[in-house]
Amino acid sequence: MSDTQKQVLLEVKGLTMDFGGLRAVDSIDLTVSAGEIAALIGPNGAGKTTFFNCVTGIYTPTGGDVLLHPQGKPTRRVNGKKPNVITTLGMARTFQNIRLFSDMTVLENVMIGRHCRTNTGLVGAILRGAAARREEQETVEFGYHLLEQVGLAEFANEYSKNLPYGAMRRLEIARAMATEPFLLLLDEPAAGMNPQETDELDALICRIRDEGKIAILLIEHDMKLVMNISDNIHVMEYGKKIATGTPQEIKDNPKVIEAYLGEEADA
Amino acid sequence: MKNLKQSLAVALWFIFLTFPLMVVKVNTSDQVVQWRWMNILWVGVTFFVLSFIWRYALVRKEARQMAALSGQDEHEKPTKFQELLEDQSLRYRLMLGLLAFALVFPWVFDTYQSTIMVSALIYVVLGLGLNITVGLAGLLDLGYVAFFAVGAYAYALLNHHFGLGFWTCLPLGAALGGIFGVILGFPILRLRGDYLAIVTLGFGMIVKVVLENWSEFSFGPSGIANIDRPSLFGLDMDIAASTTYIYYIMIALVILTIIVTGRLKNSRIGRAWIALREDEIACVAMGIDMAKTKMSAYALGACWAGMVGVVFAAKTTFINPASFTFMESAIILSIVVLGGMGSILGVILGAMILILMPEYLRAFSEYRMIIFGAAMVVMMIFRPQGIISNIRQKYEFKGLKEKSENV
Amino acid sequence: MEYFIELFLSGLTRGSIYALIALGYTMVYGIIQLINFAHGEIYMIGAFVAYIVCGVLTIYGFHGVSILIIAGLLAIVYSCAYGYTLEKVAYRPLRGAPRLSPLISAIGMSIFLQNYVLLAQTPDFLPFPALIPDFAFMEPIAHIIGSAELVILVTTMVTMVMLTLLIKYTKIGKAMRATQQDMSMARLVGVNVDRVISTTFIIGSALAAIGGVLVASYIGQVNFYIGFLAGVKAFTAAVLGGIGSIPGAVIGGLVLGLTESFAAGYVSSDYEDVFAFGLLVLILIMRPAGILGKATKQKV
Ligand SMILES: Nc1ncnc2c1ncn2[C@@H]1O[C@H](COP(=O)(O)OP(=O)(O)OP(=O)(O)O)[C@@H](O)[C@H]1O
Ligand SMILES: [Mg+2]
């Protein structure tokens, strides 16, 4: 790997989130570099989704720092910033419990992702001048190409609520990619998918990294997928980070084994 | 048999429920009680029948939901009617026919009919305006009539004090409506959905209270009379001619509204509104500025109310606070809800039905509000998408497909 | 100073009525997150039934306290029946529907019930008999606080204490609290959620009926429209105090009542509604969760 590819994109320092008495995320440090696929794993309730929510501005963290280093642009400290600001800066996400716009078509869902990269205003939309029409056309084309990439082009004009479950997950990814992020956060993208769909997802994620030059941080319970595609794995338990390393290191880490075995013993 | 028993029980329950209000009527000054026993029979029979229909409809609704859950998208199959509407060319022909009818209307029917039609058209614009706020952006505004009042009073006062004409005030009314929308929107648009409903309701009431009590400004409950009708190159017009003139102004405004809202609906802005309605969190996570988006929907909705407020004042030549009650807001809201939230054609139809029906069926007008109320409930339970459900634009990709295949 | 005390006491009276009605809103909202717009109409129906029963009983020669008790009880019974039916017809089929649907259904129900009473009875204001006698022992302070006001204050207080006990110690009270915390969890541990919701509506309606009878007899008239403004004000009180919180509803009611009373007394009674809503907007902006409400983050 060349030096430019190793540039750090996301730097999280001592991130903490309290809900009343509950510390859901406890001083987590984590970095994601360009060209990397990183995974965040841990038992149910470990605080992974809460970590995503803090990083993407859905929650305001109670402590710590979230720094974004867009390539060729100054570093930004984004804790407490609104989610739309963070997305516009170049970090997009999907949701664990799918949150599509169900009464819009599949294509329109992706077009929503283009909102922050386009700028037709009220007046432009009403007058529908040449610029507005061109931008609209570009939005449609961009969206359509993204749908092709995730294999949903044939459903473009369907309502998103009528999609099968696995397709919904892929649409979430396409919608997030429409915002042209440099870093993509995926919250359990394989949940509810069958093995074949998971394999396709595996390939899709690698393609996004290689062709789209987008770094990826994903939460996932499917260990096979995680071990397959991740460059680095971070393990959380009870809000704390208990391990970081390559898939092989994680596999052999006794703490991790205990965390997962402990969970199984509980369940 | 079980059904029969159940319906009988329902009928008895409602007889019990309505007994004091439907049967007994006391006149305290004459010290007599009027017993209206016949009403028991009516209530009993009505609810006996209704309970059958109600149960049947509920069962069907559940069946549809089950079908949807188990993957058979039966309910998504559009009805014949809906399918016809989605046919572009038919829709255009329908629109053209309607337009032709609208244009000859004042020549075929008399002034009285035109007057009624003008009020219906005013409600069409109000409905389409509120449709932006409630139907597209999902912001439940229960004080919409306040912006209507802003427009009406703006014209009435400017006309009274400074002699400003209709055509000067029309854009002013729209602008003032929008400005009021922005001023009010600032504090309240951060509120959670249902709080927004109650605060807008309060705002509507405040405007009415102020208009009633601040006599130096608004002439209090007695209102403002002798407002000028719209002028046409200084021509002198009798009432009939003037009504026809206002009628055409309204037709033009309706067309303008349809074009504007139609374009907005399928634009970058309109999509952001709908996304906001569907899921606020996903919407901001996709990079949409919530405050800006809400504000634009709220203020733009208010603009239309301000604009037709001016027409309303010019048409009636007299306004007072009594025209701007919560009931008015509720009627406009029912137009949007019954017509179909987000659907332009639906809202137009809704306004026509809701406003014209009571005009033509005088006997019905007494019952109009109670029917509105019941219809809102029934509609929400059995057909939440309204008479005509919102249709999203479909895009063509002929060129695109080939292009990507070549790559 | 005496004027101040007078205003304070009338604010307290007014506020305690708001609190009674607000409790219905807050309990329902706490459990199913719905603004029960028709709650004000339940209050109005309570007052109307009391009016009719009073009229009939007076004409048939009943007297004083017996009228008060029978009319009060029937008003409560009927309000509860209406509240129960309202939930079953207009809200239960909409469980799980998008949030706007039950709210619009509630507005529709409110319009329906108002016009039902208007058509079945009359659009006019009707004189409501003063059911509460002037107590002799109140004579010396009657210029500051009337007997009717005292009865309202005492009744409200007793009702609140009973409600608190009910929710704290009875089985249904516990089930209500469980459902409020987490409906699906409550269902899992065997709480009959439908029954809890029905009970909540019934309790709320009973409180509204008590408020309705007290106010009607205090103000001396009823009309199909009285529920609307009272309902809106009471909801304002519930939001002020922090919706979903029972002590919050009481505090919100009192704060609202006192604000209105002082605004009417020192500024102008024409604008008391403006003050009420101004206060609401102010509180919502500064403390969106209300005075006692806890700010909770929506789980994503
Ligand atoms: N908004 C909230 N308010 C209160 N507690 C919360 C909130 N969101 C999350 N929590 C709590 O924080 C803890 C971590 O939850 P989180 O959803 O982050 O876990 P997770 O690691 O994503 O689990 P899973 O693998 O099941 O998705 C849990 O105990 C949860 O109950
Ligand atoms: Mg999670």
Side-chain angles (χ1 to χ4, degrees):
Chain A
M1 279 188 196
S2 72
D3 271 348
T4 48
Q5 267 184 318
K6 279 195 196 129
Q7 188 208 344
V8 172
L9 297 177
L10 168 71
E11 189 178 0
V12 178
K13 289 193 279 200
L15 190 77
T16 301
M17 182 74 207
D18 295 321
F19 294 114
L22 177 79
R23 178 155 289 191
V25 174
D26 192 353
S27 39
I28 297 271
D29 297 319
L30 191 152
T31 57
V32 181
S33 310
E36 180 184 352
I37 294 180
L40 182 61
I41 62 171
N44 288 113
K48 307 178 294 291
T49 300
T50 308
F51 175 82
F52 266 27
N53 286 338
C54 292
V55 169
T56 54
I58 307 276
Y59 296 159
T60 304
T62 23
D65 274 320
V66 181
L67 304 171
L68 276 183
H69 307 282
Q71 271 164 333
K73 280 187 212 146
T75 297
R76 288 285 299 267
R77 180 170 177 274
V78 296
N79 23 338
K81 288 271 182 306
K82 285 193 191 138
N84 56 304
V85 175
I86 295 176
T87 304
T88 311
L89 282 173
M91 180 162 62
R93 70 171 290 178
T94 66
F95 293 93
Q96 177 177 358
N97 42 353
I98 299 172
R99 305 189 80 121
L100 291 170
F101 308 115
S102 49
D103 261 337
M104 300 175 89
T105 65
V106 169
L107 181 66
E108 280 178 320
N109 266 276
V110 182
M111 288 165 84
I112 284 294
R114 296 301 296 154
H115 191 274
C116 59
R117 303 290 173 223
T118 46
N119 40 36
T120 305
L122 267 182
V123 179
I126 293 171
L127 297 181
R128 255 191 210 171
R133 265 176 302 169
R134 184 162 6 91
E135 195 178 81
E136 187 77 3
Q137 187 58 32
E138 278 166 13
T139 307
V140 171
E141 285 177 22
F142 193 100
Y144 190 77
H145 282 299
L146 273 175
L147 287 180
E148 280 185 330
Q149 280 183 37
V150 299
L152 290 175
E154 54 178 317
F155 300 119
N157 282 326
E158 296 285 326
Y159 281 92
S160 67
K161 63 184 168 202
N162 296 344
L163 287 181
Y165 197 76
M168 285 189 178
R169 291 231 172 263
R170 276 177 289 152
L171 179 54
E172 278 239 351
I173 297 178
R175 184 178 68 175
M177 279 176 57
T179 65
E180 291 181 63
F182 58 79
L183 175 60
L184 189 57
L185 309 190
L186 306 176
D187 197 342
E188 303 201 12
M193 285 188 172
N194 61 34
Q196 192 209 332
E197 284 177 315
T198 310
D199 285 343
E200 284 166 18
L201 181 73
D202 185 326
L204 173 65
I205 293 176
C206 291
R207 249 200 342 265
I208 292 173
R209 187 230 352 227
D210 298 334
E211 291 172 13
K213 302 275 177 280
I214 299 172
I216 285 163
L217 173 62
L218 77 156
I219 296 175
E220 191 45 74
H221 283 295
D222 185 327
M223 278 312 135
K224 187 168 152 258
L225 178 77
V226 170
M227 295 298 164
N228 254 345
I229 62 174
S230 314
D231 300 312
N232 277 302
I233 298 178
H234 309 269
V235 189
M236 276 180 83
E237 191 192 14
Y238 298 123
K240 289 198 175 65
K241 193 159 102 172
I242 55 170
T244 299
T246 61
Q248 197 53 50
E249 288 165 1
I250 294 298
K251 250 186 229 163
D252 300 337
N253 188 321
K255 264 179 161 173
V256 178
I257 295 167
E258 193 193 326
Y260 271 90
L261 285 183
E263 190 203 17
E264 264 164 40
D266 283 348
Chain B
M1 198 57 216
K2 191 171 144 258
N3 275 337
L4 223 59
K5 255 191 203 152
Q6 226 173 344
S7 289
L8 211 62
V10 170
L12 282 176
W13 173 252
F14 275 93
I15 287 175
F16 159 73
L17 213 55
T18 53
F19 182 81
L21 290 160
M22 293 289 289
V23 176
V24 192
K25 192 164 180 177
V26 276
N27 189 331
T28 30
S29 51
D30 300 344
Q31 293 280 306
V32 283
V33 185
Q34 190 188 339
W35 299 92
R36 300 169 293 179
W37 296 110
M38 268 312 275
N39 283 345
I40 285 192
L41 194 68
W42 294 129
V43 169
V45 171
T46 312
F47 280 97
F48 186 74
V49 175
L50 274 184
S51 87
F52 273 107
I53 302 175
W54 184 265
R55 257 199 317 272
Y56 172 71
L58 269 187
V59 166
R60 267 196 42 182
K61 181 186 169 197
E62 252 159 50
R64 258 178 308 163
Q65 277 171 349
M66 288 310 275
L69 274 184
S70 62
Q72 307 159 292
D73 287 322
E74 286 279 358
H75 75 299
E76 287 307 329
K77 219 185 270 164
T79 58
K80 262 268 148 47
F81 182 55
Q82 196 75 257
E83 248 167 40
L84 283 181
L85 283 174
E86 296 201 22
D87 180 349
Q88 282 278 346
S89 71
L90 195 78
R91 227 161 74 207
Y92 282 129
R93 262 181 287 163
L94 190 75
M95 292 269 193
L96 273 180
L98 274 179
L99 184 66
F101 175 74
L103 287 181
V104 297
F105 187 88
W107 308 106
V108 180
F109 298 96
D110 58 14
T111 308
Y112 171 72
Q113 307 291 337
S114 300
T115 316
I116 293 176
M117 211 39 152
V118 170
S119 6
L121 292 174
I122 288 179
Y123 278 93
V124 168
V125 175
L126 284 172
L128 288 172
L130 187 63
N131 188 35
I132 295 176
T133 316
V134 180
L136 294 179
L139 304 168
L140 189 54
D141 183 351
L142 296 181
Y144 191 61
V145 78
F147 302 119
F148 189 49
V150 165
Y153 269 89
Y155 178 49
L157 289 171
L158 289 173
N159 184 261
H160 179 90
H161 292 300
F162 308 108
L164 289 190
F166 173 81
W167 290 107
T168 326
C169 289
L170 194 64
L172 274 181
L176 270 177
I179 292 170
F180 260 76
V182 172
I183 294 174
L184 183 76
F186 257 117
I188 69 171
L189 286 178
R190 297 187 319 168
L191 299 178
R192 235 174 33 209
D194 7 1
Y195 285 2
L196 185 73
I198 205 84
V199 172
T200 50
L201 174 73
F203 172 67
M205 289 168 74
I206 288 178
V207 167
K208 185 161 171 277
V209 169
V210 169
L211 288 177
E212 267 169 357
N213 292 302
W214 192 8
S215 302
E216 304 83 66
F217 172 73
S218 66
F219 300 95
S222 53
I224 305 169
N226 295 325
I227 305 165
D228 286 342
R229 292 167 188 280
S231 60
L232 179 64
F233 308 121
L235 242 62
D236 252 345
M237 284 187 284
D238 59 5
I239 292 208
S242 169
T243 306
T244 311
Y245 183 42
I246 294 185
Y247 174 86
Y248 281 117
I249 293 175
M250 271 320 297
I251 290 285
L253 286 182
V254 168
I255 293 173
L256 177 76
T257 317
I258 293 175
I259 292 176
V260 169
T261 45
R263 286 187 165 188
L264 280 173
K265 209 174 111 177
N266 289 310
S267 72
R268 172 175 177 268
I269 305 289
R271 280 191 300 269
W273 288 338
I274 298 170
L276 193 73
R277 176 189 78 192
E278 298 285 301
D279 189 331
E280 276 191 13
I281 287 175
C283 187
V284 291
M286 287 308 120
I288 291 175
D289 188 329
M290 183 155 75
K292 239 197 221 161
T293 308
K294 276 189 179 175
M295 187 64 94
S296 62
Y298 196 70
L300 202 71
C303 265
W304 297 110
M307 188 179 77
V308 280
V310 174
V311 182
F312 175 76
K315 175 209 161 210
T316 52
T317 71
F318 165 75
I319 54 167
N320 68 352
S323 311
F324 308 104
T325 58
F326 169 71
M327 273 306 137
E328 247 12 73
S329 290
I331 291 176
I332 307 170
L333 181 67
S334 15
I335 287 175
V336 177
V337 170
L338 301 188
M341 280 197 265
S343 154
I344 292 176
L345 198 58
V347 170
I348 297 174
L349 221 65
M352 288 295 173
I353 295 173
L354 258 54
I355 304 304
L356 294 185
M357 203 112 92
E359 292 291 347
Y360 289 120
L361 300 172
R362 275 284 156 206
F364 170 87
S365 77
E366 206 182 319
Y367 295 96
R368 128 174 147 148
M369 285 319 287
I370 198 168
I371 292 177
F372 283 8
M376 280 166 92
V377 178
V378 172
M379 221 46 173
M380 279 303 110
I381 295 175
F382 297 112
R383 200 179 159 79
Q385 71 272 40
I387 303 174
I388 295 180
S389 59
N390 184 15
I391 306 162
R392 295 304 307 161
Q393 174 157 351
K394 303 222 148 88
Y395 295 88
E396 305 254 358
F397 315 97
K398 275 191 226 107
L400 277 178
K401 248 176 216 153
E402 285 150 26
K403 233 195 284 174
S404 52
E405 269 158 22
N406 295 339
V407 173
Chain C
M1 192 59 207
E2 204 161 88
Y3 187 53
F4 177 86
I5 294 176
E6 197 185 314
L7 287 180
F8 181 80
L9 287 172
S10 89
L12 223 52
T13 314
R14 203 193 268 236
S16 55
I17 296 288
Y18 287 153
L20 269 181
I21 313 173
L23 283 168
Y25 278 110
T26 245
M27 289 196 303
V28 166
Y29 194 95
I31 289 187
I32 53 174
Q33 281 78 46
L34 164 74
I35 301 181
N36 177 12
F37 246 90
H39 189 60
E41 270 56 61
I42 300 291
Y43 153 94
M44 177 268 292
I45 284 173
F48 234 103
V49 168
Y51 164 81
I52 290 167
V53 174
C54 284
V56 173
L57 291 181
T58 318
I59 290 167
Y60 287 100
F62 284 74
H63 287 293
V65 180
S66 62
I67 295 187
L68 177 67
I69 290 172
I70 298 175
L73 283 180
L74 276 176
I76 293 175
V77 167
Y78 267 99
S79 280
C80 292
Y82 271 95
Y84 171 80
T85 315
L86 168 73
E87 191 270 330
K88 250 193 135 153
V89 172
Y91 305 147
R92 187 163 301 178
L94 287 171
R95 295 265 170 79
R99 220 201 57 244
L100 224 50
S101 300
L103 191 56
I104 291 172
S105 179
I107 295 169
M109 230 24 204
S110 155
I111 296 174
F112 177 86
L113 287 174
Q114 270 176 35
N115 286 279
Y116 152 68
V117 173
L118 182 152
L119 292 171
Q121 294 285 320
T122 163
D124 304 328
F125 273 94
L126 298 168
F128 197 95
L131 294 175
I132 302 160
D134 282 326
F135 304 122
F137 68 87
M138 291 288 291
E139 204 68 55
I141 50 167
H143 58 291
I144 298 177
I145 178 168
S147 302
E149 284 165 329
L150 185 77
V151 171
I152 291 179
L153 282 175
V154 171
T155 315
T156 316
M157 248 167 332
V158 171
T159 316
M160 307 265 181
V161 170
M162 273 164 50
L163 180 70
T164 314
L165 293 180
L166 179 100
I167 288 183
K168 267 234 160 83
Y169 297 112
T170 63
K171 204 168 157 216
I172 187 76
K174 280 177 191 151
M176 281 167 76
R177 277 183 292 153
T179 313
Q180 171 157 12
Q181 289 243 320
D182 189 334
M183 188 183 293
S184 46
M185 205 59 190
R187 192 175 279 134
L188 277 183
V189 299
V191 173
N192 183 343
V193 171
D194 281 341
R195 184 140 93 224
V196 168
I197 294 174
S198 286
T199 314
T200 310
F201 272 86
I202 290 173
I203 295 174
S205 303
L207 298 176
I210 296 173
V213 176
L214 290 175
V215 171
S217 112
Y218 177 54
I219 299 187
Q221 47 176 276
V222 287
N223 170 257
F224 73 95
Y225 201 60
I226 55 169
F228 180 70
L229 196 61
V232 172
K233 292 285 184 60
F235 182 75
T236 303
V239 172
L240 269 182
I243 196 137
S245 149
I246 288 178
V250 178
I251 290 180
L254 295 181
V255 169
L256 188 70
L258 288 171
T259 309
E260 279 190 8
S261 179
F262 284 123
Y266 287 121
V267 188
S268 153
S269 62
D270 292 338
Y271 288 104
E272 61 178 45
D273 294 349
V274 176
F275 279 95
F277 287 113
L279 182 71
L280 174 71
V281 174
L282 221 65
I283 295 259
L284 281 180
I285 291 168
M286 293 189 309
R287 254 189 90 81
I291 299 171
L292 289 189
K294 278 193 286 284
T296 49
K297 284 206 170 66
Q298 194 191 342
K299 271 195 188 180
V300 177

